[in-house]
Amino acid sequence: MLEISDNGRTWLLTGQTSSYAVHLTDADELVHLHWGPRIALADAEALAVRPLPEYWPFESPLDGREEYPVEGGPRFVRPALSVRTDERRGTEWGFERYETEGDELRLRFCDDGLTVTLHYRMREDVVERWVTLDNQGSALELLRADSAAWTLPDREDWRLSQLHGRWGAESRLARAPLTYGEKVIGSRRGHTGHQHLPWVALDTDATEERGEVYGCALGWSGSWRIAVAQLPDARVQITGGAGYDESGLLRLAPGESFTAPVFAGLWSDGGYGGASRAWHAYQRAYVIPNADQDRPVLFNSWEATEFDISEEQQSLLARRAAAIGVELFVVDDGWFGTRTSDRAGLGDWTPNPDRFPSGLKPLAEYVHALGMRFGIWVEPEMVNPDSELYRAHPDWVQHQTGRKRTEFRNQLVLNLARDDVQEYLWEQLDGLLSSAPIDYVKWDFNRCFTDAGWPGEPYPQRLWVDHVRGLYGLLDRLRAAHPGVAFESCSGGGGRIDLGVLSRTDQVWTSDNTDPLDRLAIQHGFSQLHPARAMAAWVTDSPNAMLNNRASSLRFRFVSAMAGVLGVGGDLTRWTEEELAEAREWVTLYKEIRPVVQRGDLYRLRAPRGGLSAVQYALGDETVVFAWLQAQSFGEPVPALRLRALDLTASYECPETGEVHRGAVLVHHGLRTGLRGDLDATVIRLRRI
């Protein structure tokens, strides 16, 4: 709901439980009024006329109060907007007008031919904010154009939460006191990055289920930056947007425009868990395509075969996968060009004639005949120097004139900002998806930007933005032409996970680390922002050969992976009949509880910190609990799990055991899991009766 004061200078957006308010002063300064619990328009107007606090000499009365600080004038905070022309730098803007369209508010400001429009939209309790810049004046360079600046209320002892990591160890939660100065996270690698997810949360005294939490998440899949600043007067402001530094985003010629990505904000008084559930509901409703459709159980061939694949071998794996109940069979790397290792073939998206003599169609049809859907792996933004594409178009890669072309994993990055590269990839991928009954594409990105040059382009810096635009445009075009095809975002695991790519893909590959114990911490961090509906997780072989050679039971591996979108990635040709029979039982169970996991509300009952950890999903009358015991020390009994979201007056039955539990007992006294020893796990279903 959007409300506007009679004088047209105070605006209030209200969601289910929260409100957001801004005000234009008599001096045409746009100031922040409120972000938090629901208030009335009269309350916002009362805030607008409150006297300002005293400020010290050498400080600005705007800093920490201004809704969108620009560079120039009486400001000392980090600017959200920085532009320069041949004559000057900075912005001296004036308010022009406000506009509304549906539930969207637009506040327009102008500065000598440059129109800056601040956009606001409330969805549930998530405030979506972004900025558009329209240049009708002389040419200018856009150095920085953050999507939003978020102002927090006056509080003491703020605490900052973030998700950090690296390859194989993504999305790990870190929480620490916020100190004076700036905390900056981001990526200068050309993609979202393994090192940080573009999300922060701040609180003062929140727990998992109680207390105020403010969170912000950016929807951009290229380089990005979020800066959290505690100012000298203790006020806190958060800025964020595309690009990592002020080396330049774009040049805007007369008539050109730029639209910043959405930077979404959320207030919750339900603690970290309440904030997570609100983020999850928002993404299922407004971000992830077809989120009301549950994702199928998949098998992926990579860890079973790596590059050593053939049609006959894939057919054998497909038969094994179908027998345990898999619904989607995915052929990973190695099916195309001369791709017998990571040294060749990237860029040549035609089936290898030795491995697939008649193309992919016979295998795809065979997989369909087994009752499964068929998928493939691609890495369209990359090229091997040893490829037909590179030999024909060496100028299509990012590179600097006269400099060595750096290779990682024996590959280079195609310049997707170029129209001819976009068109080539469209023709290749559209032809591929039209050549066989393909239902699913795993889209990988295994290399960061390094030599991000564009010889011959007057402003090569723009490739950092336009590469991402090219990616989005290509995904949008493919989805429109092939509406039955689902897409997964992968970047060496969790290197490209954000609200931007999630708006164009059906799920994401959470990490290349498939060790079930490591995955608990990764999934715990991932769940702070993103829902299980998007979180792909595999059951692979034991010992885990990817990182640590840890051995674990099939039970532990399945229960770990079933907390997200279940997949299988082991070599099924080496599994025993007993293992295959057990796997079939787990897959059958997952299909029964899948609606609750993928569409239910998540409650983190115990974090994975070395002993017992658990999560609970609740949907309607159904509840599913996943519990894992890393290690039992000194023979001490395993604690009971106090459940959430149950009717205290109702009874709940476990269909496997027939046991009946009272809701009040489960909430106040807990549920015994029966776990013992090391690396034990269980799934418990409860249904209200």
Side-chain angles (χ1 to χ4, degrees), residues 623-643:
T623 282
V624 177
V625 176
F626 297 92
W628 306 272
L629 181 62
Q630 178 175 344
Q632 186 178 19
S633 301
F634 307 109
E636 294 176 352
V638 177
L641 292 171
R642 294 181 59 188
L643 304 191

Side-chain angles (χ1 to χ4, degrees), residues 124 126 217 276-289 291 497-499 502-503 526-531 533-534:
E124 309 291 340
V126 173
S276 295
R277 289 186 288 277
W279 279 121
H280 299 172
Y282 160 71
Q283 289 170 71
R284 289 194 300 262
Y286 299 104
V287 178
I288 301 170
I497 298 174
D498 58 81
L499 296 178
L502 271 169
S503 69
F526 184 94
S527 74
Q528 303 295 317
L529 175 61
H530 298 303
R533 167 59 175 72

Side-chain angles (χ1 to χ4, degrees), residues 106-161:
R106 303 169 186 161
L107 305 179
R108 293 170 60 95
F109 296 80
C110 289
D111 177 25
D112 194 23
L114 176 66
T115 298
V116 182
T117 304
L118 309 183
H119 300 256
Y120 298 81
R121 180 169 55 204
M122 179 77 85
R123 285 179 157 172
E124 309 291 340
D125 280 310
V126 173
V127 184
E128 293 182 337
R129 293 180 58 188
W130 69 100
V131 173
T132 56
L133 300 154
D134 181 40
N135 184 30
Q136 298 301 327
S138 58
L140 59 85
E141 187 175 14
L142 183 59
L143 300 176
R144 186 78 200 165
D146 281 337
S147 301
W150 301 94
T151 301
L152 301 190
D154 289 335
R155 299 283 191 274
E156 293 180 349
D157 301 325
W158 284 106
R159 182 169 46 181
L160 173 68
S161 298

